Amino acid sequence: MATSLQIPPVRQVPLSLHKAPLPTTVFVDAQGDVWEATGHTPSGELLLSCPQPSNPEDAGEGESFAWTLRLVQAAFGPLIARSAVAR
């Protein structure tokens, strides 16, 4: 039997965080609409968008409003966070 000193080390290659696949979190509002993260404001607040609202009239046209997590929670809450792992 080989001891730990006799087993050659396995080469481990670090993976930088920006290349690591991370599960994404989406937020589901009170109407069941799914909100996805689209970026951050200059102050660091999370920006969300709802690509497929249940009410087609809510989709609108053109540039999307800058919905922050706080604004979505106030307007459409309560929000439930759901990880891609749970889907």
Side-chain angles (χ1 to χ4, degrees), residues 9 12 15 18 20 23 27 29 42-43 54-55 59 75:
Q12 294 182 347
L15 184 62
H18 73 278
F27 299 90
D29 67 20
S43 64
S54 55
N55 182 358

Side-chain angles (χ1 to χ4, degrees), residues 33-86:
D33 289 335
V34 177
W35 293 80
E36 300 174 352
T38 57
H40 292 86
T41 65
S43 64
E45 277 191 275
L46 186 63
L47 288 171
L48 301 175
S49 70
C50 181
Q52 297 178 336
S54 55
N55 182 358
E57 293 177 3
D58 290 340
E61 295 179 13
E63 187 74 20
S64 177
F65 178 77
W67 286 101
T68 62
L69 179 61
R70 181 177 43 83
L71 290 174
V72 173
Q73 177 73 28
F76 306 104
L79 295 180
I80 299 172
R82 187 175 71 191
S83 171
V85 175

